[in-house]
Amino acid sequence: MSRVSVEAAPIAELTRSEPVPAVRARAIRAAYQLAGRPPLAVLDGIDLTVASGELVALLGPSGCGKSTLLRILAGVQLPSDGTVEIDGRPPAEARRAKALGLMLQEHALLPWRTALDNARLGLEVNRSSGSSATLAREALSGVGLTDFADYYPHQLSGGMRQRVALARTLALRPRLLLLDEPFAALDELTREELGWELTRLRTSIEATAVMVTHSVAEAVALADRVVVLSARPARVLAVVPVELPRPRAVDVEGTAEFARHVGEIKRLLRGGVETSQPRGSSDLLRERQRVPS
Ligand code: ADP
Ligand code: MG
């Protein structure tokens, strides 16, 4: 299979179009301060630019700061330093305008509400109950839970609860989806199925997505670019463009190109070294992202 190489666009071209990126985070630092302890540095100067319509996966070792970064992008947590813009405005503003949908790792469903009523949670303001129910039903059907709309959380499996939480985020049809390990509680096959479904739904609502995952295969299968983070405090080790054609289907995982991407990313994760200089052996790595930063 031929190797596809993506070069950074020429400067002239970038300045001509200059679209506002969906996400622009610059020099993000974060630290936690617990009483009687030295500050815990979690994010160590993260730059991230996500173009409109892209799906970017954030991959990194457990505890490196992925969830922290996602909460900062969503504006529910402030960085110690650095700036974030979502479609050119502060994240809290984007969140209030329902321009971004956040699915947290600990996705609390309300135990006294059915799957359908949980899925329509974010929709109830400014919408008739009929239209919010329709959107919530569509989202539930998208995650394969049509038959479980009137089940309560305790009557659902862990994976089904996770799908309800995903449906709740999708039902808002935000321009930007921020998803924290959306498939973590699912078995391998459901995870794959839902991953493809997410890709389809995301394309149909024309949303941009930043998805945290710890699965290299999932990142490569779904993402346009994979941002590989170091151990805590997280730095960006590399940005790997996934050069697999779209639309992708499940059989992409059997291809040599897929294996090559997975191998390269695993090598980066194992080495934990920054690739500020591209390595001779690798043409997956690019110093510059495809969008202006
Ligand atoms: P990841 O999602 O990559 O597993 P997190 O962002 O959840 O990582 O956590 C990164 C580090 O920050 C961990 O060491 C964790 O213990 C710490 N941490 C996360 N949230 C808090 C918090 N609210 N208070 C103190 N420490 C926290
Ligand atoms: Mg996490």
Side-chain angles (χ1 to χ4, degrees), residues 14 19 21 23-24 49-52 54 225 288-293:
L14 294 181
V23 177
R24 176 173 294 191
T49 306
V50 181
S52 181
E54 247 193 325
R225 288 184 301 145
R288 293 175 61 180
Q289 301 186 0
R290 264 190 271 185
V291 284
S293 54

Short mmCIF file of all heavy atoms in Angstrom, two decimals, residues 14 19 21 23-24 49-52 54 225 288-293:
data_model
loop_
_atom_site.label_atom_id
_atom_site.label_comp_id
_atom_site.label_asym_id
_atom_site.label_seq_id
_atom_site.Cartn_x
_atom_site.Cartn_y
_atom_site.Cartn_z
N LEU A 14 -2.69 29.21 4.07
CA LEU A 14 -3.29 29.30 5.40
C LEU A 14 -3.84 30.69 5.66
O LEU A 14 -4.92 30.85 6.20
CB LEU A 14 -2.24 28.96 6.48
CG LEU A 14 -1.73 27.53 6.47
CD1 LEU A 14 -0.73 27.33 7.59
CD2 LEU A 14 -2.89 26.56 6.65
N PRO A 19 -9.80 29.79 8.51
CA PRO A 19 -11.04 29.55 9.23
C PRO A 19 -10.77 29.57 10.73
O PRO A 19 -9.67 29.25 11.17
CB PRO A 19 -11.43 28.15 8.77
CG PRO A 19 -10.16 27.51 8.33
CD PRO A 19 -9.22 28.60 7.91
N PRO A 21 -10.63 27.97 14.05
CA PRO A 21 -10.67 26.56 14.43
C PRO A 21 -11.75 26.29 15.47
O PRO A 21 -12.16 27.19 16.20
CB PRO A 21 -9.28 26.30 15.01
CG PRO A 21 -8.71 27.63 15.33
CD PRO A 21 -9.42 28.64 14.50
N VAL A 23 -11.43 24.38 18.02
CA VAL A 23 -10.77 24.43 19.33
C VAL A 23 -9.39 25.03 19.13
O VAL A 23 -8.66 24.63 18.21
CB VAL A 23 -10.58 23.01 19.92
CG1 VAL A 23 -9.82 23.08 21.25
CG2 VAL A 23 -11.92 22.31 20.10
N ARG A 24 -9.08 25.98 19.97
CA ARG A 24 -7.70 26.47 19.97
C ARG A 24 -7.26 26.62 21.42
O ARG A 24 -7.77 27.47 22.14
CB ARG A 24 -7.60 27.80 19.24
CG ARG A 24 -6.19 28.38 19.32
CD ARG A 24 -6.04 29.60 18.46
NE ARG A 24 -6.17 29.26 17.05
CZ ARG A 24 -5.88 30.09 16.07
NH1 ARG A 24 -5.46 31.31 16.32
NH2 ARG A 24 -6.03 29.72 14.81
N THR A 49 -4.87 22.46 18.44
CA THR A 49 -5.79 23.14 17.53
C THR A 49 -6.58 22.09 16.78
O THR A 49 -6.00 21.13 16.26
CB THR A 49 -5.01 24.02 16.52
OG1 THR A 49 -4.16 24.89 17.26
CG2 THR A 49 -5.95 24.85 15.67
N VAL A 50 -7.89 22.23 16.78
CA VAL A 50 -8.74 21.26 16.11
C VAL A 50 -9.56 22.01 15.07
O VAL A 50 -10.26 22.98 15.40
CB VAL A 50 -9.69 20.56 17.12
CG1 VAL A 50 -10.56 19.52 16.42
CG2 VAL A 50 -8.88 19.90 18.24
N ALA A 51 -9.45 21.57 13.83
CA ALA A 51 -10.20 22.23 12.76
C ALA A 51 -11.66 21.79 12.82
O ALA A 51 -11.98 20.71 13.29
CB ALA A 51 -9.60 21.86 11.40
N SER A 52 -12.51 22.65 12.30
CA SER A 52 -13.93 22.35 12.27
C SER A 52 -14.16 21.05 11.48
O SER A 52 -13.62 20.87 10.40
CB SER A 52 -14.65 23.53 11.63
OG SER A 52 -16.01 23.28 11.61
N GLU A 54 -13.19 18.06 12.32
CA GLU A 54 -12.20 17.02 12.60
C GLU A 54 -12.60 16.17 13.80
O GLU A 54 -13.31 16.63 14.69
CB GLU A 54 -10.88 17.71 12.99
CG GLU A 54 -9.76 17.54 12.03
CD GLU A 54 -8.42 17.97 12.64
OE1 GLU A 54 -8.37 18.93 13.43
OE2 GLU A 54 -7.43 17.34 12.29
N ARG A 225 -6.77 12.76 13.53
CA ARG A 225 -5.42 12.93 14.09
C ARG A 225 -5.42 12.41 15.51
O ARG A 225 -6.43 12.53 16.22
CB ARG A 225 -5.01 14.41 14.12
CG ARG A 225 -4.71 14.96 12.72
CD ARG A 225 -4.21 16.39 12.80
NE ARG A 225 -5.18 17.27 13.43
CZ ARG A 225 -4.87 18.29 14.20
NH1 ARG A 225 -3.62 18.58 14.47
NH2 ARG A 225 -5.82 19.03 14.73
N ARG A 288 4.22 19.85 12.38
CA ARG A 288 3.20 20.89 12.29
C ARG A 288 1.84 20.26 12.10
O ARG A 288 1.68 19.29 11.40
CB ARG A 288 3.52 21.81 11.13
CG ARG A 288 4.78 22.60 11.40
CD ARG A 288 5.15 23.40 10.21
NE ARG A 288 4.10 24.36 9.86
CZ ARG A 288 4.22 25.16 8.83
NH1 ARG A 288 5.27 25.12 8.06
NH2 ARG A 288 3.26 26.01 8.54
N GLN A 289 0.87 20.85 12.72
CA GLN A 289 -0.46 20.35 12.54
C GLN A 289 -1.01 20.90 11.23
O GLN A 289 -0.46 21.83 10.66
CB GLN A 289 -1.35 20.79 13.71
CG GLN A 289 -0.78 20.29 15.01
CD GLN A 289 -1.70 20.58 16.17
OE1 GLN A 289 -2.75 21.15 16.00
NE2 GLN A 289 -1.28 20.16 17.34
N ARG A 290 -2.10 20.28 10.77
CA ARG A 290 -2.61 20.66 9.47
C ARG A 290 -3.31 22.01 9.48
O ARG A 290 -3.56 22.60 8.46
CB ARG A 290 -3.59 19.59 8.98
CG ARG A 290 -2.92 18.60 8.08
CD ARG A 290 -3.94 17.73 7.44
NE ARG A 290 -4.18 16.58 8.29
CZ ARG A 290 -4.97 15.60 7.93
NH1 ARG A 290 -5.58 15.62 6.78
NH2 ARG A 290 -5.16 14.57 8.73
N VAL A 291 -3.69 22.44 10.67
CA VAL A 291 -4.40 23.71 10.75
C VAL A 291 -3.48 24.74 11.40
O VAL A 291 -2.60 24.35 12.14
CB VAL A 291 -5.69 23.56 11.56
CG1 VAL A 291 -6.75 22.87 10.75
CG2 VAL A 291 -5.41 22.80 12.83
N PRO A 292 -3.66 25.98 11.10
CA PRO A 292 -2.78 26.98 11.70
C PRO A 292 -2.95 27.04 13.20
O PRO A 292 -4.06 26.86 13.69
CB PRO A 292 -3.24 28.30 11.05
CG PRO A 292 -4.62 28.03 10.56
CD PRO A 292 -4.67 26.57 10.24
N SER A 293 -1.88 27.23 13.92
CA SER A 293 -2.03 27.29 15.38
C SER A 293 -1.42 28.58 15.92
O SER A 293 -0.86 29.35 15.19
CB SER A 293 -1.38 26.10 16.04
OG SER A 293 -0.05 26.01 15.61
#
